[in-house]
Amino acid sequence: MADKLKDTGTLGFLEAAVKISHTSPDIPAEVQLSMKDHVMRHARIQRQTTEPASSTRHISFKRHLPRQMHVSSVDYGMDLPPAAEQPTSIGRIKPELYKQKSVDSEDPKKEAEKTCGKINFALKYDYENETLIVQILKAFDLPAKDFCGSSDPYVKIYLLPDRKRKFQTRVHRKTLNPTFDESFHFPVPYEELPSRKLHLSVFDFDRFSRHDMIGEVILENLFEASDLSRETSIWKDIQYATTESVDLGEIMFSLCYLPTAGRLTLTVIKCRNLKAMDITGYSDPYVKVSLLCDGRRLKKKKTTIKKNTLNPTYNEAIIFDIPPENMDQVSLLISVMDYDRVGHNEIIGVCRVGINAEGLGRDHWNEMLAYPRKPIAHWHPLVEVKKSFKEWQGRAASFDSQGSCPSPKPPPTP
């Protein structure tokens, strides 16, 4: 008799559970209370097992995040957990069926790169005359720049870092697939070719206004396809650009941090292919390193001046004392300057390393922190100071003025 009652009670409980899953309104009150307690206990256990404990070093970071709705604060009421759902797809919403590829979500710059076309050119080195021969053959699928749906393209050719010597093809009228077939000769010793870059800028000619730039191609390695002993044909995608990119040169330096001593050492090794700033075609470069904390300059140090050169060698160490707990707040601004005895010194280009830097500057910094007490050296391209200074000002304004760093005078406006 007891077993029969037990079976009857079990069946009644299961029937009530089935009714709950179908959201039936005729459910006894005691069954609702027992099922709600069971569901809430199960949900609390599930949340405790799936939500890891937050690290204490992330608490301050989370304070800056916007307030969000936490799952633990939601009252599920009489809803069952996902595991108790019936294995049926009827009436269930599947978000993946409603996902659409949005054209607007794509990067417009990448989209423009796809529509800039291709260019075909050939390279060969004349060993007898020590001349690099660049032959512009043709272009294909150029974008239309005129109202008539066509363009009037031509190509400018540079052998960087020298921008004084440049060549230009003839203008081809009303075509998106021009055939140039023109050759140009750059006198250059063979041993200098590894340090040279080929720069092709494609323009659309306009008789009554400024010529529109279609795009550019920069061949970093002239020996990419062959040793240049014979004529080699190369196809390259034309990269989107609105203005000609200026090659300011590169700087090599190493970073080393000693956590026990709290000492950061930046060793300026050398620079190459710097932009000529003087009438003589050379520069008098030196390197200035500024220590920044939350966008404010704390200290600055500089190297010696190297006269009349675009490829100076320094091998000079610059040391800053920084406690380990402040390493996430600081960054270094490296400026390559041109010394001028009469007027003011000019900035050739800058680069930045730190936890808030971009690209190679951030990667170099993280690699230094990952390998303490070991010098890590990299080449860094120099960029224009205007772009870097705007970024610097924007980051400084975003920080709280009540930070842990002192408030020295701001950097001079370039």
Side-chain angles (χ1 to χ4, degrees):
M1 187 66 181
D3 294 338
K4 187 179 293 185
L5 290 174
K6 185 178 180 180
D7 294 339
T8 303
T10 303
L11 290 173
F13 186 84
L14 291 176
E15 289 176 0
V18 171
K19 290 181 181 179
I20 289 175
S21 66
H22 290 283
T23 62
S24 176
D26 54 347
I27 302 173
E30 61 274 9
V31 176
Q32 292 186 27
L33 291 176
S34 62
M35 285 303 298
K36 183 174 181 179
D37 294 338
H38 173 73
V39 170
M40 294 305 294
R41 279 199 304 270
H42 182 73
R44 281 197 297 269
I45 294 173
Q46 194 175 29
R47 286 196 298 271
Q48 289 173 1
T49 56
T50 56
E51 292 184 0
S54 299
S55 176
T56 55
R57 64 190 178 89
H58 292 158
I59 294 177
S60 60
F61 174 75
K62 289 184 177 181
R63 290 187 186 135
H64 299 281
L65 295 177
R67 294 186 61 185
Q68 300 177 356
M69 181 180 69
H70 297 282
V71 178
S72 59
S73 63
V74 178
D75 185 7
Y76 290 95
M78 290 299 296
D79 294 334
L80 288 175
E85 292 181 359
Q86 297 295 328
T88 176
S89 60
I90 299 175
R92 184 185 301 170
I93 297 176
K94 295 183 177 181
E96 61 270 14
L97 298 179
Y98 299 90
K99 290 181 180 179
Q100 299 179 359
K101 291 184 178 180
S102 175
V103 177
D104 298 334
S105 63
E106 295 185 7
D107 188 356
K109 185 175 181 179
K110 291 184 179 180
E111 183 66 23
E113 288 178 2
K114 298 177 184 177
T115 60
C116 283
K118 296 176 178 288
I119 189 168
N120 181 211
F121 58 95
L123 300 178
K124 182 182 178 181
Y125 189 75
D126 185 352
Y127 292 90
E128 184 177 353
N129 297 316
E130 291 192 332
T131 302
L132 178 66
I133 303 173
V134 180
Q135 185 178 9
I136 307 298
L137 299 174
K138 54 187 174 181
F140 175 73
D141 197 22
L142 297 178
K145 291 291 185 178
D146 300 336
F147 291 108
C148 61
S150 186
S151 294
D152 302 322
Y154 67 93
V155 183
K156 288 183 182 180
I157 306 99
Y158 301 90
L159 191 61
L160 302 178
D162 182 15
R163 283 191 170 271
K164 294 181 179 179
R165 180 186 296 272
K166 70 175 180 180
F167 295 100
Q168 180 177 314
T169 67
R170 295 189 300 271
V171 178
H172 288 251
R173 300 286 184 180
K174 292 181 170 50
T175 177
L176 302 180
N177 302 286
T179 299
F180 300 100
D181 199 14
E182 298 181 48
S183 298
F184 306 95
H185 296 72
F186 290 92
V188 55
Y190 185 82
E191 57 271 15
E192 291 186 11
L193 290 178
S195 62
R196 296 297 191 99
K197 301 176 186 178
L198 182 66
H199 186 192
L200 308 178
S201 300
V202 185
F203 284 86
D204 170 56
F205 175 82
D206 196 323
R207 180 179 297 178
F208 302 106
S209 64
R210 185 177 180 180
H211 300 178
D212 296 324
M213 188 170 184
I214 296 176
E216 65 181 3
V217 171
I218 299 179
L219 186 64
E220 302 279 349
N221 181 13
L222 297 177
F223 298 97
E224 180 179 298
S226 72
D227 60 355
L228 303 180
S229 59
R230 54 187 177 82
E231 186 175 287
T232 304
S233 178
I234 301 173
W235 279 96
K236 285 289 184 181
D237 292 329
I238 301 174
Q239 303 298 321
Y240 172 80
T242 55
T243 57
E244 286 187 286
S245 58
V246 180
D247 190 13
L248 302 176
E250 297 175 285
I251 180 172
M252 174 187 274
F253 57 86
S254 67
L255 295 174
C256 181
Y257 185 65
L258 302 177
T260 54
R263 180 179 301 165
L264 174 63
T265 302
L266 183 147
T267 302
V268 181
I269 301 174
K270 57 184 175 180
C271 301
R272 66 184 179 190
N273 301 331
L274 295 180
K275 180 183 177 182
M277 305 294 286
D278 299 338
I279 302 177
T280 59
Y282 293 99
S283 296
D284 301 325
Y286 68 93
V287 180
K288 181 175 66 175
V289 182
S290 300
L291 175 65
L292 311 179
C293 181
D294 290 353
R296 302 180 183 87
R297 187 172 68 188
L298 301 183
K299 295 181 181 179
K300 65 175 181 179
K301 299 182 180 181
K302 57 185 180 180
T303 66
T304 57
I305 302 170
K306 305 296 180 181
K307 296 285 188 177
N308 298 323
T309 179
L310 301 179
N311 300 280
T313 300
Y314 297 97
N315 291 320
E316 300 181 30
I318 294 176
I319 300 174
F320 296 102
D321 293 322
I322 307 171
E325 60 270 17
N326 296 118
M327 286 299 290
D328 288 344
Q329 297 174 289
V330 300
S331 60
L332 297 176
L333 182 69
I334 298 95
S335 307
V336 180
M337 312 286 295
D338 174 52
Y339 172 76
D340 197 328
R341 183 180 299 177
V342 179
H344 63 279
N345 301 340
E346 296 180 284
I347 301 177
I348 299 176
V350 300
C351 68
R352 182 174 178 176
V353 292
I355 198 70
N356 294 319
E358 296 181 352
L360 181 58
R362 180 183 62 251
D363 296 340
H364 195 175
W365 186 268
N366 291 334
E367 189 177 357
M368 171 199 69
L369 296 177
Y371 298 95
R373 297 175 294 276
K374 179 182 178 182
I376 307 294
H378 284 295
W379 282 102
H380 289 257
L382 299 175
V383 299
E384 294 180 357
V385 67
K386 293 181 181 178
K387 183 186 302 183
S388 176
F389 187 76
K390 288 180 181 178
E391 176 189 356
W392 185 0
Q393 283 185 323
R395 290 180 184 272
S398 65
F399 281 104
D400 186 3
S401 60
Q402 301 297 326
S404 59
C405 300
S407 302
K409 60 181 179 180
T413 303

